[in-house]
Amino acid sequence: MASGSFPVQADPTDPEAELEGSSTPRPAVGADAASLVARYVQVRDFTRQLAAPLSAEDCVVQSMPDASPTKWHLAHVTWFFETFVLKPQAQRGFDYRVFDPDFEYLFNSYYNSVGAQYPRGQRGLITRPDLATVLAYREHVDQALARLIEGEPVGQAVELAGLIELGLQHEQQHQELLLMDIKHALFQSPKLSAYAAQREPSGVALRSAAPSAALAYIDFGGGLASVGHDRRGFCFDNERPRHQVHLADFRLANRLVTNAEYLEFVAAGGYSEPLHWLSDGWARVQSAGWRAPSYWLQRDGAWFEYTLGGLVALDPAAPVCHVSYFEAEAFASWAGARLPTEFEWERAAEVSAQRGQADVAAGNFVESGRLHPGAAPLAAGPQQLFGDCWEWTSSSYAPYPGFRAAPGALGEYNGKFMVSQQVLRGGACVTSASHFRSSYRNFFYPHQRWMFSGIRLAR
Amino acid sequence: MASGSFPVQADPTDPEAELEGSSTPRPAVGADAASLVARYVQVRDFTRQLAAPLSAEDCVVQSMPDASPTKWHLAHVTWFFETFVLKPQAQRGFDYRVFDPDFEYLFNSYYNSVGAQYPRGQRGLITRPDLATVLAYREHVDQALARLIEGEPVGQAVELAGLIELGLQHEQQHQELLLMDIKHALFQSPKLSAYAAQREPSGVALRSAAPSAALAYIDFGGGLASVGHDRRGFCFDNERPRHQVHLADFRLANRLVTNAEYLEFVAAGGYSEPLHWLSDGWARVQSAGWRAPSYWLQRDGAWFEYTLGGLVALDPAAPVCHVSYFEAEAFASWAGARLPTEFEWERAAEVSAQRGQADVAAGNFVESGRLHPGAAPLAAGPQQLFGDCWEWTSSSYAPYPGFRAAPGALGEYNGKFMVSQQVLRGGACVTSASHFRSSYRNFFYPHQRWMFSGIRLAR
Amino acid sequence: MASGSFPVQADPTDPEAELEGSSTPRPAVGADAASLVARYVQVRDFTRQLAAPLSAEDCVVQSMPDASPTKWHLAHVTWFFETFVLKPQAQRGFDYRVFDPDFEYLFNSYYNSVGAQYPRGQRGLITRPDLATVLAYREHVDQALARLIEGEPVGQAVELAGLIELGLQHEQQHQELLLMDIKHALFQSPKLSAYAAQREPSGVALRSAAPSAALAYIDFGGGLASVGHDRRGFCFDNERPRHQVHLADFRLANRLVTNAEYLEFVAAGGYSEPLHWLSDGWARVQSAGWRAPSYWLQRDGAWFEYTLGGLVALDPAAPVCHVSYFEAEAFASWAGARLPTEFEWERAAEVSAQRGQADVAAGNFVESGRLHPGAAPLAAGPQQLFGDCWEWTSSSYAPYPGFRAAPGALGEYNGKFMVSQQVLRGGACVTSASHFRSSYRNFFYPHQRWMFSGIRLAR
Amino acid sequence: MASGSFPVQADPTDPEAELEGSSTPRPAVGADAASLVARYVQVRDFTRQLAAPLSAEDCVVQSMPDASPTKWHLAHVTWFFETFVLKPQAQRGFDYRVFDPDFEYLFNSYYNSVGAQYPRGQRGLITRPDLATVLAYREHVDQALARLIEGEPVGQAVELAGLIELGLQHEQQHQELLLMDIKHALFQSPKLSAYAAQREPSGVALRSAAPSAALAYIDFGGGLASVGHDRRGFCFDNERPRHQVHLADFRLANRLVTNAEYLEFVAAGGYSEPLHWLSDGWARVQSAGWRAPSYWLQRDGAWFEYTLGGLVALDPAAPVCHVSYFEAEAFASWAGARLPTEFEWERAAEVSAQRGQADVAAGNFVESGRLHPGAAPLAAGPQQLFGDCWEWTSSSYAPYPGFRAAPGALGEYNGKFMVSQQVLRGGACVTSASHFRSSYRNFFYPHQRWMFSGIRLAR
C-alpha cells in the first residue's frame, strides 16, 4: 500500500493447493455471472461515490510523492482491468477497443513488465485527460467487463473470475488510498474543510459517547501456531503459505492506545527525549520537526485533530491515529511495554474470533461511514481488533517460508516490496470489511503516517 | 517577474519630480473616472479571457516552484487591489467588506510588511477555495473598485488613480506570468495539447511565411547617453532615475538569433563543450541535463517545439526562444559575438524609434494573439526590438544611481530582487503592448528559461 | 556496526541467568588479573598495529558519513574505557585524572545518556588533537587500566571484569570498522595504493591457488530449533535470550557465491533489468549508478578489484564481496534461489559444527593477515561459514522475544538500531576470530556495501 | 578567487597595447634573470612559510567544497608552473621530466582545456600523495625553474618572464586562499586553536590600541572618469581595458564599518527583520541560520571572534569582517546608506592616492604579520582603503567593454566566472601588498563569507 497500489495475486500456483482439496483459486463470490456482476458493480460504484463529494480541482492535486490524485486512482484501477483482463481477452478474440493508448503509460503504477511509467511524483500535473474523460474511461471499461462476464460461461472460466476478483480487491485497496490521500491533500488548504459537505464536524458522529475501557492486558498462550491464510476465499499471495511459528506466551492490550494516553507522552516531553526513540526515529523527529501525530494542531493551548469531517477537538477516548512506527515504538518504550509481532496479533485475532470475542462484521470499517476511529466499547475481550486503526507490529514485512511470486506481470507486485517496511494488522475505518480477513498484511515504511495507523501494546 | 509578481511602484517620492514640473505621479491614462474605469475593465477582462480556455483542473496545478497556478494568479492580482486600494480606503470610511479574511495570507506573494505568506511551493495544493469562488472574489472586488472610482472626484485623487494604475500594470505582468506558467504546466501532461482548442497548431499562425532576414550588424555611436524613464506616463521605480552613462561605439544585430542558427550550435556539440560556457552555466548543463532549449523535443531525428498552440515542427526562421542566460551567453561566445548591455539596448531602441525604424505598436505582443515569436520581417533597421522575445543583456539587475525604494509595503518590491539576476529588454509575444516602454527592465536568474527569452547579438 | 560502534552489553539482567546456574555475567577470559591484563594488552596493541602502516594524513580523513577516521576510532575506543570504566571508578575513589575534558564531546559516538556529540559527518575535520595526542591518550588510559586491574581483587569484581571485556569486544568491532573505513578512504585517492607497503599485491596472498568447489546444496532438517547465545562466554545483548523457532526443512549452498558467478549476473544485464530487484533496490541502482559491486573497476574490458593490498585482477574463484542486500537479493532471485534466514544460518552453523564440518578456528579471519576473502576449499560440508565474508540474511534486525535493554547508557546501544536493517552472519576476513561466535548478529542497512559482505544462497 | 584560483592572464593581445607604446606584456619585475629568480624564490618560499606551522593532518583536510586543503594549494600552484611553463618548454627541447603524470588530473583546478579534473569536493580525501611528496614536488619544479631562467636570455624571452610572473601572481592569490581555508578548517575543531603556536592571542597584536575614528563621509566629484589598469606593471585581464565611466557625485565613508557598529545592527534584531534584506539574502539567513558574521561566537552574553591567532574578545574598534554581500547590503540599508560601486571605489582610491591620503605600502597587508584587520587610524582622509578587509561593492562582476579572453587554456580563467558574483575591492590583511593595485577586482558569490570581507558605506 505504501507504493500506491498493493501487490496482489490470486496465488494460482500454491504448492499446497491440492492438499487442501482444491485445484483452482476461488473468487470471493460464488462463481456465477450474476453475482460476479453484482459485486463488480458494487465495488466500482463505491469508488465513484467516494469521489463524488470532490470537485475536479480536488481530484487532480497530489500533495506529496507518497500520495496520488483521486483522478489518478479512478483511472489506475480501471487501467488494471483493461490491462490484465480486457487486453488479454481481446488477444483471444474478445471485441474490445482500447480507450486511449496513452493511458498504458500514464496510469501504470509500477509494473515494469507492462512498460515504462509516468513519473510517480508528477501525477498531480496531469490536468489532461480531465476528470470527465477519466469517468468516461471507467464507463467504457465497465461496459466491456459486463459484456465479458455475461458472455462467458464463468463456471468454465474460473481463472477469469479470479482475475476480476483480484481487480476488485485491488480497487478496494485504492478506495482506502483515495481516502488517505484526499485527507492529506485537503489538509494543505488553510480552510481545513471537510471532505464532504455533509460530513462537517457534527460533534456527534466523530465524538465518543462515553469514555473508553480501562487499559488491561489479555493473556494468550504460546507454543506452535499456524499462521497465514487457509485458502477459504480470496487472499493476496503475501498471506501464503500457511505455516507454523513458535510463540512464547504473550499478553495483548484489550484496546488501542487512546489520544488521552498519547497526550501524556507528548506532555511528558516524549518528542524531546532521545532515549525513548529508535535511532532512525529520533533522526526523523528532528529532521521533520515532529511534535505530535500527523493532523494534530494546537490552538490556544487546546488540541484539535483534522478529520475527513473537518477540524474537531481531540477526543480523549478515541484511539490515537496517524502515528509512524517510530512514534508507536517510542510510545510503547516510554510506557514500559512493546508492540506485538504480526504473528502474536494474528494468533490473538483467531483465538478471539473462536471465543466469539472478536467479529470482523462488528468493526468500524468504511461501511460505517464514520471515516474516523472511535472509542473502544466497554466490553470484555479484546476490542478494536478489526477496523478503527491499522495496528503497527514489530514484524518487518518479509516473505513467508515457501513464498513464491507468480510468473508474469502480476508476480511483480508483492515480493518486490519485502524490505525495510513494517507490517500492520487489523484494518481501519477506511478499509472495506468485505476486503478484510485476519491474515491480511498491510505494510508501510516506519516513517510514514498518513495512513490510519494506531497502537496496540503488548508485553 | 522571476518571483512571480513584479516589484512595482509609482515612484511618488522621486527627487527629480519637481524639476520635471509635476508634483504628483501620473497614471498612464487620463485622470478622469470614465477612462480609468474603461482601462480597469479592459485589463481585468483580459485576465479572465486568458483563463477562459482552461478547465478548473488546469487552473489549480503548479508545475514547479517558480510557477504559480492560474487560479492563484487570478486571486493574487485581485488581492493586490483589495490590499493596497480597498482596505486603506475602508479605513478612511469607504464601505468595503473583505471577501474572505483568510485570503490575506493565502494570496500574499512576498509582502512581509503585509504579513506571513502561504508557502510559495505549495500553491498548487490549494483546491479550496475553488475556481468559482476565486471568480466570485474578482467580481466582488471589481464592483467595489467601480463604486470607488465613480464615487470619487479622481481629479482630486491623483494618488488613488496612481495606485489603481499600479494595480493594473501589476495585473498585466501576471497576465504574462499566467501564460508562461500554464505553458509549463500543460507541457507536463503527455498529451502536449494546446492551451486553447482554437489554438491547435494550424501551420499558419505559427509558421513563418518566409525566411528571416540575413544576420547583419547595425552601428550605433557611443558617448554620453541618457537612460531610464523620462516620467512621461507610468513606469516602475526600477526604471528611475533617468541618468547618464558613457557608452563606447557598438554594433547590434539586426534581428534575433533564429532557431536555424541555434540548431547549428546544438549540432556542433555546443552542449558538450565546456569551453563555450560560463562556469556556472556548464555546471547547470550537466546537473540539469540540458541538450537544447526548453520545449524542444526531438522525434525520429526531427526537432519539434511545444507552443501554446501545441507541438509544431521547429520553424527555422523563427527566433530561438526559452533559452537561459547561460545558453544565450554560450551561443554568443560560440558565434564570436557577445550580448549587449541593457544600456546599449535602450540606446539602440531610442535611436531607432527616433529614426522611425522601430515601433512598439508594430511589435508581436500579446495583442496579436499569436502567443509565439515569429520570423523577422525583411526590412531595413533593427527588427523584433519590441515583442517576440525578451532579449538577455549582459547587465546584472542593479539599482540606478539615486534609486530609492518607496516607504511602506509597496517599497518592498523592487530593490529586494537586485542581486544575482540579469536584465532582459524588449518585451515578448506574451507581453501587453500597453504595458511596455523602451525603458522597461525585466529580470530573471541566469538559469531560468520558462519565460519567452531569446538572443540578440552585439559586438 | 552500521552506526560505527555496536550497541553492546553484558546482559546482567537476563531472566534466564538463574536457571543457568550463574547470577553474574562472565567475561570471556578467566577471572584472574593476569589473564585479563594479557588480553587487554593484546587487543589494544592490535589496534595500534592496524594503524601503524598509516600516515597521520591517512588517519584523519573521513571519506563518507558512514565511515570514521582511523584517528577517531583510536580515540573513541579509548574514550569507551575512560567513560564506562575509569570515570565511574574515579567516583568511587580510584585515582584517575581525565586526559582532556573536551574529549567527552569529541569522541562520544551516539550515547545521548552521556551527553551531546560532535557531528558525526564532520569527524574528518578534527585535525586537532593530532594523531600523536590521540596515541598519548591511549597510553594514558592503558596505564590507568593496568593500575586498576592489578590493584583490584578481580575475583570480587566480576562486574568490572565484565565491563572491561565489553570494552575489548567493542574495540574489536572498531578494528573491523577501521579496516572497512580505511579501505574506503584509500579508494578515493587515484593512486589506489595498498593499505600497507608490505601488502602490495603479490599475486600470492590474494589469489586463489585453485578453482573453488562446485556449487551444491546441503540439506538441513526443520522443526523446532533453539537459537541465540547459550551464555557460555561473552555475548552481546542482541544475541539473547536463547529461544525456540520453528523452521521448515531447508537447503543451504555449500559455499559463498563467487566472483565468476556474480560476473555472469553482471554480464547478463543484471543491473539493467528491474524485474530482478526489490523496488527499493532498483531505485538505488538508478540513483547511485551501480553497475557492479563496490571496489570493482573495469579497465580495457578486464575487471579488477581494489583490495587492502591494492588493485588486483578479479579472482573468479574468490567470493563476491562488498555487495549490498539489494544486490544479494537480486542475484539470488536471478539465480532462482533465495537468501537464508538468520535462523537457518545459525541452525546450519551449529549442526555443521557438531558434525565437525565447520570450525571457527579454521576460518579466514583477521588473524590470517590476508584481509581479503579467498576461494572455498575443495572439501565436504559447508565451506566459508566462518570468516571470509559476512553473509546477508533475509531476516530484518529485530529483538529476540524477551529482549530487554540494560538500564543506563550501556542500554542505549542495541535496541535503538532494531529497525530497517538486515542481519548478516558468519564474520569476515577483517573480523577477529576471538570476537566471533555462531550466534553473532551483525546488521547493516540494505543499501550499504562498504563492509565485507557476500552471498550464500538457500532454497 | 571564489573558485579557488583566479582567472589570470597577462593580456598579450590587448588592442591598446600599441597605443601605449609597448608591444609586449611586462612582468612586474625588471627583466633580468637575477631579479626574476629572486622574486620567484621569495614568493615560493613565502608559501612554504605559511604552511610551516601546520601539521600534515592540518594540511590534508577540506572543511567545505569552497575551500581546499593546504596540501592541495601547495601542489596546485606548482602544477601551474609545470603545466604552463615547464611542459611547453620541454616540448621545445628544455630538459624536464614530469614529476608524476597523475598530478595533471589531481591538481588541475578547473582548466577544461588541460583535461579532466579530480572532483573539487573530494580534495580533502587525497591522503596519497602525502605532504612530504608534495613538498618534494615543489622542490623538483623549483629546481627546473631556476635552471630554465638562468639558462635563458630572458631579455629575449619576455613572454616567458610574463608567464612566470603570472604564475607568481597566481601563487600569491593562493597564499590568501590558503589562509582563508585553513582558518575555516581550524574553526571546525572544538579546540579553536591558533593557526600557529606563536600566534596565540596576545592581547596586543590583534587588539586595537585606541578607538577608531568617528564615521564621516568624504565627498568625491562625479563626471567622466577613467577606470581599469593603465598597463604600468602586471595586471589580470579582468582589469582591462581601461575605459571611461560616468559617475554622479558621491560620498564615501572615511573608514570601514566597525564591530561596534555592526553589533548595533545585531542587537537591533537585524537578523530577524526581513525588510532590511534582499530577498535572496533573507532566504539565506533563514536556511543557514545566520545570527551574526562568520566566526563570531557568543558565550555567556559576551561576543568573541575566532581569528588566526585563536579566539579573542570582539574588538569594538576593529572592522567587522567575514560578512556576506547580503549582510553588507542589509547593514547599509538599515544604516540608511548604501554600498559603493566598484568604480566609485576605484575613483576614490586614485584621487586619494594622488592627494597623498592613501598608500598601498601603509596598508595592513599580509606582510604586517597580523593576519587580522585592525582599527582605523585617527587621521584625515579615507582610512583602510588598502588592506584590512576586502570591501563589498554593489557592482556585479562583469567584463569591461572590449574585454576579450586570451586564446588557449589561460583564456579559460576570467571570463567564465563573470555572472552572479559581486566585486570586492581594496585587499585584505591576508593579501600580499606586492600583489595589489587599486584596479584589482576580487569577486565572490553574495552568500560567501569565509574570505576577509568588510563593509564601507557610501551615499
Side-chain angles (χ1 to χ4, degrees), chain A residues 103-365:
Chain A
F103 286 10
E104 177 170 311
Y105 165 72
L106 211 44
F107 298 121
N108 180 358
S109 52
Y110 53 63
Y111 298 60
N112 293 309
S113 308
V114 174
Q117 300 119 43
Y118 183 83
R120 176 178 178 85
Q122 298 180 27
R123 288 177 185 164
L125 302 179
I126 308 171
T127 65
R128 301 176 183 187
D130 64 9
L131 179 59
T133 305
V134 164
L135 292 175
Y137 177 39
R138 291 184 66 92
E139 186 66 24
H140 176 85
V141 163
D142 287 351
Q143 288 177 1
L145 248 296
R147 276 196 295 117
L148 177 67
I149 296 172
E150 282 157 9
E152 186 81 32
V154 178
Q156 298 167 25
V158 176
E159 189 188 350
L160 179 62
L163 272 175
I164 293 171
E165 179 58 30
L166 181 60
L168 295 173
Q169 296 278 348
H170 172 256
E171 182 141 351
Q172 289 184 301
Q173 294 180 308
H174 277 275
Q175 289 166 356
E176 177 164 348
L177 288 164
L178 185 158
L179 289 167
M180 288 159 53
D181 293 354
I182 197 66
K183 181 172 183 178
H184 192 268
L186 295 175
F187 189 58
Q188 311 306 315
S189 285
K191 290 287 180 193
L192 296 181
S193 59
Y195 151 66
Q198 64 273 35
R199 291 191 185 282
E200 290 295 345
S202 63
V204 177
L206 292 166
R207 297 296 306 267
S208 55
S212 59
L215 185 67
Y217 284 90
I218 300 172
D219 288 302
F220 292 92
L224 276 181
S226 287
V227 294
H229 194 259
D230 62 4
R231 302 193 65 81
R232 294 185 197 142
F234 177 87
C235 76
F236 291 117
D237 61 353
N238 62 8
E239 302 166 49
R240 296 280 310 157
R242 189 162 171 90
H243 64 288
Q244 286 192 301
V245 295
H246 184 266
L247 300 175
D249 295 348
F250 65 98
R251 310 178 70 198
L252 207 63
N254 63 329
R255 59 162 172 75
L256 297 173
V257 170
T258 63
N259 283 324
E261 287 159 350
Y262 199 85
L263 209 44
E264 286 182 53
F265 172 66
V266 174
Y271 284 83
S272 309
E273 174 49 67
L275 293 182
H276 302 320
W277 297 80
L278 289 166
S279 181
D280 287 357
W282 180 242
R284 176 69 60 161
V285 165
Q286 294 180 290
S287 67
W290 285 348
R291 290 290 169 263
S294 199
Y295 297 116
W296 283 29
L297 293 174
Q298 199 172 19
R299 293 189 173 173
D300 301 326
W303 284 100
F304 293 82
E305 183 179 16
Y306 179 68
T307 74
L308 284 166
L311 195 68
V312 298
L314 193 70
D315 177 1
V320 65
C321 193
H322 296 294
V323 289
S324 64
Y325 179 75
F326 295 137
E327 288 162 300
E329 209 276 345
F331 177 85
S333 166
W334 173 80
R338 63 173 176 89
L339 301 177
T341 68
E342 66 167 320
F343 300 128
E344 288 173 338
W345 189 94
E346 184 167 332
R347 176 73 180 154
E350 294 205 351
V351 166
S352 300
Q354 287 161 9
R355 290 178 184 161
Q357 290 183 327
D359 181 6
V360 169
N364 176 14
F365 284 99

Side-chain angles (χ1 to χ4, degrees), chain D residues 165-226:
Chain D
E165 179 58 31
L166 180 61
L168 294 173
Q169 297 278 348
H170 172 256
E171 182 141 351
Q172 288 184 302
Q173 295 179 309
H174 277 275
Q175 289 167 358
E176 177 164 349
L177 288 165
L178 185 158
L179 289 167
M180 288 160 54
D181 293 353
I182 197 66
K183 181 172 182 177
H184 192 269
L186 294 175
F187 189 58
Q188 311 305 315
S189 285
K191 290 286 179 192
L192 296 181
S193 59
Y195 150 66
Q198 64 271 35
R199 292 193 184 281
E200 288 298 343
S202 63
V204 177
L206 293 167
R207 297 298 303 269
S208 54
S212 59
L215 185 68
Y217 284 89
I218 300 172
D219 288 303
F220 292 92
L224 276 180
S226 287

Side-chain angles (χ1 to χ4, degrees), chain D residues 10-85:
Chain D
D11 200 9
T13 63
D14 193 292
E16 295 173 52
E18 289 179 323
L19 300 178
E20 294 172 14
S22 164
S23 61
T24 51
R26 289 185 182 177
V29 297
D32 59 287
S35 66
L36 184 56
V37 166
R39 174 155 158 79
Y40 180 87
V41 169
Q42 186 273 327
V43 171
R44 295 279 290 169
D45 273 356
F46 189 57
T47 308
R48 259 184 301 256
Q49 288 168 30
L50 289 176
L54 302 171
S55 70
E57 292 174 60
D58 290 334
C59 290
V60 75
V61 301
Q62 178 178 35
S63 53
M64 62 169 173
D66 282 344
S68 292
T70 296
K71 186 171 74 178
W72 192 90
H73 286 302
L74 290 170
H76 166 69
V77 293
T78 305
W79 170 96
F80 192 95
F81 283 109
E82 187 177 61
T83 302
F84 295 118
V85 178

Side-chain angles (χ1 to χ4, degrees), chain B residues 216-220 248-253 338 340 344 457-459:
Chain B
Y217 284 90
I218 300 172
D219 288 303
F220 292 92
D249 296 347
F250 65 97
R251 310 177 71 199
L252 207 62
R338 62 173 177 88
E344 288 173 338
L457 298 178
R459 286 180 186 273

Side-chain angles (χ1 to χ4, degrees), chain D residues 408-426:
Chain D
L410 286 173
E412 209 182 313
Y413 309 166
N414 246 336
K416 79 180 186 183
F417 299 104
M418 289 178 171
V419 71
S420 303
Q421 307 203 44
Q422 295 296 118
V423 172
L424 300 97
R425 293 295 196 111

Side-chain angles (χ1 to χ4, degrees), chain C residues 204-223:
Chain C
V204 176
L206 293 166
R207 297 297 305 269
S208 54
S212 59
L215 185 67
Y217 285 90
I218 300 172
D219 288 302
F220 293 92

